[in-house]
Amino acid sequence: CALPISGVGMSLSAAQQGVRRLASVRWPCLLLRSTGRAYRGGAPEDSGKDMIEIPLPPWVERPNEPVTTKRARLVYESRKRGMLENGILLSLFAKEHLGSMSEAQLSMYDRMINEPSNDWDIYYWATGAKPPPAVFDNEVLDLLKEFTRNRNMEQRLRQPDLEYLQEAG
């Protein structure tokens, strides 16, 4: 549809009248069609029926995965998180601790960063803002909590470069 707007050289009052006239007309071509799925900003009348939860695949332990493959995968998964804070925290933690972890500790770390569906949970457990579930309350989380305290006051503003992997290999 075309909007009948002209007005080059139009006076201010004529322009204001034109705008009022345009605003009072119903323009079917400009009406938004509701599809039933829209963000309403938490309006009290929102039933939430249009919200869907996408199920995540369950975490599955990989018992036959070689340790070098597991470490490499965990380095990658520590860097590629759903939120920047965890990407920085976990990638720096992985750089410092993954190389010295036992297979059992690697499995605990794998479960801790991959089973929870919400990255904020991991962040809250690491910072001590919320208590972890019993299944994640273990020596690896204790290491992560201690690392998060940053007692040496290191600047932790970005993920580490990956050159350290070639140096270790």
Side-chain angles (χ1 to χ4, degrees):
C1 72
L3 298 176
I5 298 177
S6 63
V8 179
M10 186 185 290
S11 72
L12 181 58
S13 63
Q16 288 172 334
Q17 287 175 348
V19 169
R20 277 193 220 101
R21 190 171 62 245
L22 285 173
S24 67
V25 174
R26 300 199 84 205
W27 296 93
C29 60
L30 296 179
L31 294 178
L32 299 176
R33 306 277 184 234
S34 175
T35 61
R37 291 182 41 89
Y39 175 71
R40 286 180 277 215
E45 68 275 1
D46 187 3
S47 69
K49 291 180 183 176
D50 58 341
M51 300 295 289
I52 60 169
E53 186 171 326
I54 300 171
L56 297 173
W59 175 79
V60 178
E61 188 167 4
R62 303 172 189 193
N64 298 322
E65 183 177 34
V67 174
T68 54
T69 304
K70 181 177 274 195
R71 277 197 177 95
R73 178 176 57 79
L74 291 173
V75 165
Y76 175 82
E77 291 173 347
S78 296
R79 296 175 67 86
K80 304 298 180 188
R81 304 307 305 172
M83 54 186 267
L84 178 62
E85 293 86 348
N86 275 2
I88 293 171
L89 179 65
L90 294 176
S91 64
L92 290 167
F93 176 79
K95 177 183 178 184
E96 188 165 314
H97 291 285
L98 281 187
S100 61
M101 283 186 182
S102 68
E103 285 189 54
Q105 289 172 321
L106 289 171
S107 292
M108 286 182 234
Y109 182 69
D110 187 7
R111 185 174 190 177
M112 181 181 65
I113 68 168
N114 289 308
E115 187 174 323
S117 63
N118 187 343
D119 251 24
W120 280 108
D121 289 338
I122 299 168
Y123 183 79
Y124 291 144
W125 303 335
T127 59
K130 287 185 180 178
V135 69
F136 299 116
D137 197 7
N138 55 44
E139 61 191 276
V140 173
L141 182 58
D142 291 341
L143 271 175
L144 180 60
K145 285 179 181 178
E146 183 58 34
F147 182 81
T148 304
R149 287 187 186 100
N150 194 13
R151 295 192 194 275
N152 295 333
M153 307 289 276
E154 300 169 329
Q155 246 190 1
R156 297 179 178 171
L157 303 176
R158 63 184 194 88
Q159 295 183 353
D161 295 326
L162 294 175
E163 284 82 24
Y164 78 92
L165 295 173
Q166 280 101 21
E167 295 167 4

